[in-house]
Structures are given as structure tokens and as C-alpha cells.
Amino acid sequence: NEKKKFKRDRSPCSPSRVLHLRQIPNHATEAEIISLGLPFGKVTNLLRLKGKNQAFLEMASEEVAVTMVNHYTSSIPYLRSQPVYIEYSNHKELKTDNLPNQARTQAALQGVNAMQSGSLAFTGAFAAEGGVLPGQGSILRIIIEDLFYPVTLEVLYQVFSKFGSVLKIVTFTKNNQFQVLLQYAEPMHAYYAKMALDGQNIYATCCTLRIDFSKLTSLKVRYNNDKSRDFTRLDLPSGDIQPVLDPSIAAFGTQNFLFPSYAGAAGFAPPLGFAQDAGLSVPAVPGALGSLAVMSPAVPGQMTIPGVTGAPVNSVLLVSNLNPEVITPYGLFILFGVYGDVHRVKIMFKKKEKALVQMADAVQAQIAINYLNGQRLYGRVLHTTFSKHQIVQLPREGHEDQGLTKDYSNSPLHRYKKPGSKNFQNIFPPSATLHLSNIPPSATVDNLKNLFTSTGSTVKAFKFFQRDCKMALIQLGSVEEAVHALIELHNHDLGENHHLRVSFSKSTI
């Protein structure tokens, strides 16, 4: 409701280095508000309107502000577990010299900027490179103290996915401490989660989170079970873990908490592959911290997990900020089809920058969000989240909707209909290098280069696989170019009964 009101009562202003922030929790500190701007560049001023839960943040330049707004359009930031909405202000600069209560703000600004130029060194380079400086990666190392209740993978997923897309979780016991390694899709998400959750309790007075950045750059997960999970790989075996008494819990003298054995990977019947019966239902603890309590309602648009909240999980995605001039149901079918089997697509009749995409199941929907939320497509940054709709309705007989709703449930182009298909092992984020396969023997390097150039791509490099000339890698000018080329050329007829298959590659040439 807040969100709708916010979107309705203002039209977006033209870019300005002053940003207007709404729905700031009362108990958030000045430093936390300033930290929203830090990864993009220097914050030069802040004016807080506490009674209205709003603030104005002035950035060092308009360019920095634009980068920040673009990022947060596709990935809503959280302060103290509350979503914060950011847009351009009508003001071009902030004049706060003679205002009362600005002393605290100035102190916070000086403190944060000093920290920024010193050890923290979060600079505009972060935004420019899309990377991070050493020690600030996308993997968190979490130690859970005072473990009086078992903290399951489901609970960890629910708590941490409020801050971004969780890709992998590994839990283990070391030095008599229960520890977790958790990998996000983006370093920014890890940064928010650490800011918001470090030192918080999952349950009242116990299960305290101590969070640091891990030095690892990627987590390797061999098994999907109740100790580790890779949400990008549905094909991993369960490793047949037997129910065990977790020594870290025994150490606290709690009586015989038995973890259920994992139900097995076959078919991943429970959404997200969590065991249907989470085994141990944690009692609702009176006074548990509202922001983290596992019984608290899920954040709108975030995955909710059966066995934890009981809310249904959804396979329908809401995709917004599309370019209505160029987008087609088929284009969305091909792009989202890289991450799962798309059954139906509906572009909204009155709002063509929005569409619903129905995936085969909730796991594939989550994978599509992990990889496509925030991706640029036809000059716009996509926002991909779960829809409130459980199904995409087809138009009634005789009601034509200009071809904006399409049913693809029987399409021969689905990549994941064969169980155990190799495609499950080759799911990668959008990248400038594409993997091409099913190339006919007669096709030459020039044929293929010309094909991609004809769609407006810049070909930077090309090479056939040495052992198999049916496959090749092609490197284009940018990730966005590669996304457009994949939509345009996947299943392109190359003659001799060969239709080109195009995927994103993890390799570069």
C-alpha cells in the first residue's frame, strides 16, 4: 500500500545529485542512511526529516547519483530490515548550514567519509567496476553464538534472502562453534546483510549472528542436503546424510535435538528442495527480534519457505521496467528460458513495461530472479521479483489481446525437460561471451561472425572448440549486446537441419 502510494503521488524528477529517501525506520542511524550512498561515491550532505521517515541525501556528483538510483531501482535497499525507496529530488543541492540538529549529521558525515578514505575504502570504483576491494566480496562468514535452538538452512535462507539473492549456503561446526558460509549474487547484498544483521539475534536472547566477509571468492557445494545447498544447481546429489546429533548443540546441553535427514534430491518435490517436514518446528519465542524472527511475515516479493512460514511459493514472476517499444512475449520466453522452462508469458495490456512470466516451478523462478534481476535489456534495467499471481491466465475464447499473452508449455525449446540434463550444470549469469552449439559442419568463422554482426553486435573474438567443431565461443561488445543476440539468434536456422543453440558462457576467449 505504502509502495503504491509512493509511486502514485510523484512522477520521477529529472536526475539530480540530491536524492529523496522514503520509509526510513525511526531507529536507523545517520551513518546507516549515509552508508546507502557510500558504495557509489562520496556523500556530501544529509538532511533528515525524522517525523516523516524521510531524508535527502546529497551525492558528490549527478553521475554518482544516477548510478545509485539505477542500482536501487532493480535492487531495493533495506535499513533495519525495512525497504527504503529512493528517487531524484527537485532540489539541486542541500543548504543546511543554519539548521538546528545538523551537528550530529555533520559528525556522521565526517566520520563515515574518514572511514571511507581510510580502511573501509568503499569508493566509486565499486560502482564503476561492479567489483569490490579485497575483503568485501559476496561471501559472508557467519558464526552463531548461544545456539539454544537449531538454526536450519531454511531459517538462514529466510533471514538472509531479505537482503538479496542467496546463491549458496554451507554450514559446519568448527572449534565447537556453528558456522556458516553464505554466498550472495552481488557483493552489495552481502554488504547490506552484514550492516543490518551483525550482532542481531535470530531468536530472543539467543542465536546471535557474528558476521564477517570471507576471503573466498566462490563456494563449492558438492551436496544439496540439510548441511549445504546450491540454489543454482538442482542436479546435485544429497550425499545420503543420516540424522546426526549436532555436536555444537549438544555442547549447550540441549536435549537430543535430532536433525531430519534430507528427503533426497529426486525431483526436488518440495519447493527450493527443502525437506517437506522441516523436522523441528522452532517454538515461537516471546519477544523475539521482530526484524529477524523466523515467524515474522516475509518481505513482499521475497521467497517464503514452506515449513518455515507455511506461505505458498510461487512460480510466476513479475518483470518490470521493460522497454515497451522492443519487448515481445517471445523475447521474454527465450531470455527467461535460459534459467528454466517458461510455460506462459503475458505482457500487460495497459502497462507494456510490465510482464508476467510463469516458470515450470518455484526453484526455476528463484534462479531466474538470481540471474536476471538488475540485468540491462534494451536500454532499461530489469526488475524481476515474485508476482502475487499464482498462474498466468490465457485470454478467453474470442477475446484477442493483441498477441500479448502466449502459452509456451509445449514448446520444443525448453532446455530443462529432460531429468539430469547437462543444461542444469551449465547455468551461468549473463555474460559478454556466448556458448554456441549445434553448428553445422559447413559453417565458417566468417558465416557466424556475420550472423552476429547482422543483429547489431560487435564481435570482439571467436573460436571453435578444438575437439568439437559443432561448438564455439563468441565474445561480443558488452553483456547487454550478448543478451540481445541470444534472444535474436537462439534457435536460428543455420540450414542442414541445424538450429543454433545459444547460452551464456563462464569462459572468456
Side-chain angles (χ1 to χ4, degrees):
N1 197 18
E2 259 307 310
K3 218 172 182 175
K4 276 186 190 148
K5 196 169 81 189
F6 155 68
K7 285 196 172 138
R8 197 176 54 240
D9 61 11
R10 293 184 66 143
S11 56
C13 311
S14 56
S16 158
R17 70 190 184 105
V18 180
L19 302 174
H20 184 194
L21 283 58
R22 295 177 165 227
Q23 280 186 228
I24 292 170
N26 262 328
H27 48 296
T29 64
E30 277 77 1
E32 283 174 303
I33 300 169
I34 294 164
S35 75
L36 292 176
L38 274 189
F40 305 93
K42 191 174 178 183
V43 178
T44 48
N45 210 346
L46 167 70
L47 172 60
R48 188 166 186 184
L49 311 174
K50 210 160 182 181
K52 294 185 171 176
N53 297 91
Q54 297 180 19
F56 291 96
L57 201 63
E58 182 187 87
M59 303 301 289
S61 70
E62 193 175 292
E63 196 181 20
V64 167
V66 170
T67 309
M68 180 171 161
V69 168
N70 286 348
H71 178 84
Y72 288 141
T73 303
S74 63
S75 175
I76 292 174
Y78 285 79
L79 279 182
R80 306 283 178 118
S81 303
Q82 299 285 322
V84 174
Y85 299 101
I86 300 179
E87 60 180 357
Y88 299 116
S89 161
N90 291 320
H91 303 289
K92 292 298 172 199
E93 63 176 320
L94 287 181
K95 293 191 172 67
T96 58
D97 303 343
N98 48 10
L99 289 176
N101 306 327
Q102 272 301 98
R104 243 177 72 185
T105 301
Q106 289 308 317
L109 272 168
Q110 282 164 6
V112 169
N113 283 327
M115 210 164 74
Q116 186 186 28
S117 52
S119 61
L120 217 142
F122 251 116
T123 63
F126 182 108
E129 297 301 318
V132 273
L133 297 148
Q136 246 88 48
S138 54
I139 300 179
L140 297 177
R141 188 176 74 106
I142 303 147
I143 293 174
I144 302 180
E145 296 175 350
D146 298 335
L147 195 71
F148 290 129
Y149 299 105
V151 174
T152 61
L153 255 161
E154 292 89 326
V155 169
L156 290 163
Y157 183 91
Q158 192 183 348
V159 168
F160 282 86
S161 66
K162 291 182 179 184
F163 298 90
S165 303
V166 175
L167 300 186
K168 300 170 188 177
I169 303 178
V170 176
T171 64
F172 55 97
T173 303
K174 186 178 174 184
N175 304 335
N176 256 353
Q177 288 178 314
F178 183 60
Q179 302 196 20
V180 181
L181 289 168
L182 184 143
Q183 183 172 349
Y184 278 104
E186 299 274 339
M188 285 294 300
H189 300 164
Y191 172 67
Y192 293 139
K194 182 184 183 317
M195 285 277 305
L197 299 179
D198 191 21
Q200 301 272 27
N201 297 337
I202 296 183
Y203 303 112
T205 72
C206 69
C207 301
T208 309
L209 298 167
R210 302 282 174 226
I211 304 175
D212 275 309
F213 290 101
S214 164
K215 291 186 175 66
L216 296 171
T217 51
S218 179
L219 286 183
K220 285 194 169 56
V221 176
R222 284 190 298 191
Y223 302 113
N224 280 336
N225 53 40
D226 58 358
K227 297 280 184 284
S228 61
R229 196 71 47 92
D230 182 339
F231 298 103
T232 66
R233 293 275 309 269
L234 313 187
D235 56 316
L236 293 178
S238 68
D240 296 328
I241 287 190
Q242 293 307 311
V244 290
L245 180 65
D246 191 309
S248 64
I249 290 173
F252 288 102
T254 313
Q255 293 300 306
N256 301 337
F257 271 136
L258 282 176
F259 280 112
S261 62
Y262 175 61
F268 264 71
L272 272 185
F274 287 137
Q276 194 67 54
D277 172 10
L280 188 106
S281 63
V282 178
V285 185
L289 207 135
S291 61
L292 291 193
V294 173
M295 306 305 166
S296 69
V299 173
Q302 294 283 2
M303 195 80 168
T304 50
I305 291 164
V308 179
T309 59
V313 210
N314 199 351
S315 60
V316 179
L317 300 170
L318 172 65
V319 186
S320 42
N321 203 30
L322 292 162
N323 185 334
E325 307 297 316
V326 201
I327 201 63
T328 61
Y330 180 77
L332 290 169
F333 164 67
I334 293 296
L335 177 58
F336 280 77
V338 173
Y339 298 108
D341 293 338
V342 176
H343 284 196
R344 289 178 181 177
V345 177
K346 181 187 197 78
I347 292 175
M348 305 298 197
F349 187 75
K350 288 185 178 162
K351 285 189 182 165
K352 292 194 171 60
E353 62 278 356
K354 290 191 174 181
L356 297 175
V357 176
Q358 185 177 332
M359 307 296 287
D361 59 43
V363 181
Q364 293 184 1
Q366 177 67 53
I367 291 170
I369 289 178
N370 288 351
Y371 286 116
L372 293 176
N373 185 30
Q375 177 53 51
R376 287 187 78 82
L377 177 65
Y378 304 126
R380 303 267 191 104
V381 176
L382 285 190
H383 187 206
T384 310
T385 179
F386 287 99
S387 165
K388 60 176 192 279
H389 300 285
Q390 299 293 315
I391 188 166
V392 171
Q393 298 285 356
L394 294 175
R396 290 199 302 279
E397 281 298 319
H399 286 70
E400 190 43 62
D401 73 342
Q402 298 180 354
L404 294 175
T405 308
K406 295 282 183 192
D407 184 63
Y408 295 105
S409 45
N410 297 319
S411 169
L413 297 186
H414 287 165
R415 296 176 189 237
Y416 302 101
K417 56 178 187 280
K418 284 187 194 145
S421 153
K422 269 201 178 142
N423 294 339
F424 282 114
Q425 294 161 36
N426 293 309
I427 298 178
F428 303 114
S431 62
T433 306
L434 296 171
H435 179 277
L436 312 180
S437 58
N438 205 28
I439 300 168
S442 61
T444 65
V445 172
D446 283 345
N447 293 153
L448 290 158
K449 278 186 172 179
N450 292 340
L451 176 64
F452 279 82
T453 311
S454 71
T455 68
S457 300
T458 319
V459 177
K460 292 266 182 90
F462 182 95
K463 80 166 189 202
F464 275 110
F465 278 61
Q466 278 176 329
R467 286 172 310 190
D468 186 354
C469 284
K470 288 189 206 137
M471 297 202 284
L473 291 178
I474 187 163
Q475 190 177 334
L476 304 181
S478 68
V479 176
E480 190 176 5
E481 270 189 26
V483 171
H484 299 168
L486 180 139
I487 290 172
E488 198 94 354
L489 295 174
H490 179 64
N491 199 43
H492 180 82
D493 189 351
L494 293 172
E496 302 171 52
N497 208 10
H498 283 69
H499 285 76
L500 183 65
R501 289 182 55 85
V502 186
S503 311
F504 297 114
S505 171
K506 66 172 177 189
S507 317
T508 47
I509 301 174

